[in-house]
Amino acid sequence: MESNNYNDPSMIGGCSVPVRVNRKSKPEPTVVEINGIQIGSSEVVIIAGPCAVENHEQLLETAKAVKTAGGALLRGGAFKPRSSPYNFQGLGEEGVKMLRDVSKEIGLPFVTEVMDTRMVEFVAEYADMLQIGSRNMHNYPLLKEVGRLHKPILLKRGMMATIEEFLLSAEYILNQGNEQVVLCERGIRTFETTTRNTLDLSAVPMLKHLSHLPVIVDPSHGTGHRWMVPTMAKAAVAAGADGLIMEVHYKPEEALCDGFQSLSPDEFSRLMSDLQKIAHAVGREILMPQPSHL
Ligand code: PEP
Ligand code: MN
């Protein structure tokens, strides 16, 4: 790795930490604010929703379930990075508008992925937070583009990225002036095949040790198994995560994308109360804005 003056000279286990994300240049933790919801404080923020926006009913019913169980933010993909070009690619612009409408109706801010520099302006006009997905963590023009926004960014770890590469990608965003970045561990590729990815929970304390940025965990893509999500979600909170992002679908068996790793509303609701116990055990709280029955 080329080193320059902007890289911290002290190496931690072979990782040189770039200056803007480095905890040494900003000892106090960064708190990212998304429409009144803070990520990076003592409260753990739960983001949940479908993998992909499929239609109005699916999104509305799932968002209601998320809100009712106490979720703080809604997730949903409109531009989907699918491995196969023949799989459902998402509703695109229509999906982003649907997210905005449902988000307003239910009263949950939302995060959605942007995959293309040409769509950044459009997505930023509607979304409360923009997601850069795992496959785009190395897309430097896209990182620079979202770095020019005044909007929170959820940056997911590349599936084959080291911690150092992950932090360098975050540095691209901060370097353009946008310091509202949340890091997300979502599993990495290893030789293991029983899980979709290997959820690297050791990344949580390491990232928080090296950087001042908030760190959240995605146990849905991190495991690829619905039954494993609650266990790894609880482990992530115990490991010090500032939040979780999870896939929830009102009818997981009918989902067009990632139903096998999506929680049902009942499973999500049960998990929320279990998470509160884990959070208390590590001196934190799960942020539950206004759980309300809709
Ligand atoms: C997602 O969260 O919708 C997603 C596609 O995840 P990842 O980029 O981590 O694969
Ligand atoms: Mn998914």
Side-chain angles (χ1 to χ4, degrees), residues 51 221 247 258 261:
C51 176
H221 294 90
E247 290 182 337
D258 288 356
Q261 64 186 32

Side-chain angles (χ1 to χ4, degrees), residues 51-110:
C51 176
V53 178
E54 298 167 10
N55 56 61
H56 187 262
E57 179 189 316
Q58 171 249 12
L59 184 61
L60 182 65
E61 293 308 316
T62 306
K64 281 182 186 172
V66 170
K67 176 85 174 177
T68 302
L73 283 165
L74 177 66
R75 63 146 289 150
F79 295 98
K80 291 304 301 173
R82 302 305 301 276
S83 298
S84 166
Y86 305 116
N87 284 341
F88 177 57
Q89 301 285 305
L91 297 181
E93 296 180 30
E94 190 196 340
V96 176
K97 289 179 180 165
M98 219 177 262
L99 276 160
R100 197 266 315 265
D101 293 347
V102 167
S103 147
K104 290 248 177 306
E105 186 176 338
I106 300 299
L108 282 178
F110 76 97

Side-chain angles (χ1 to χ4, degrees), residues 163-240:
I163 297 274
E164 180 172 351
E165 289 164 338
F166 189 18
L167 289 172
L168 282 164
S169 288
E171 185 83 1
Y172 263 94
I173 302 174
L174 269 71
N175 200 32
Q176 295 296 318
N178 188 352
E179 295 177 355
Q180 296 280 289
V181 175
V182 174
L183 303 171
C184 178
E185 162 60 38
R186 48 75 73 203
I188 50 174
R189 274 207 174 149
T190 67
F191 51 81
E192 185 51 64
T193 54
T194 57
T195 42
R196 182 174 179 176
N197 290 287
T198 297
L199 188 61
D200 179 14
L201 285 185
S202 65
V204 177
M206 182 56 87
L207 287 167
K208 291 184 70 76
H209 177 73
L210 299 176
S211 174
H212 51 82
L213 295 174
V215 180
I216 71 166
V217 170
D218 174 348
S220 308
H221 294 90
T223 63
H225 297 292
R226 177 185 312 144
W227 64 270
M228 277 187 90
V229 170
T231 307
M232 298 314 283
K234 287 180 266 186
V237 172

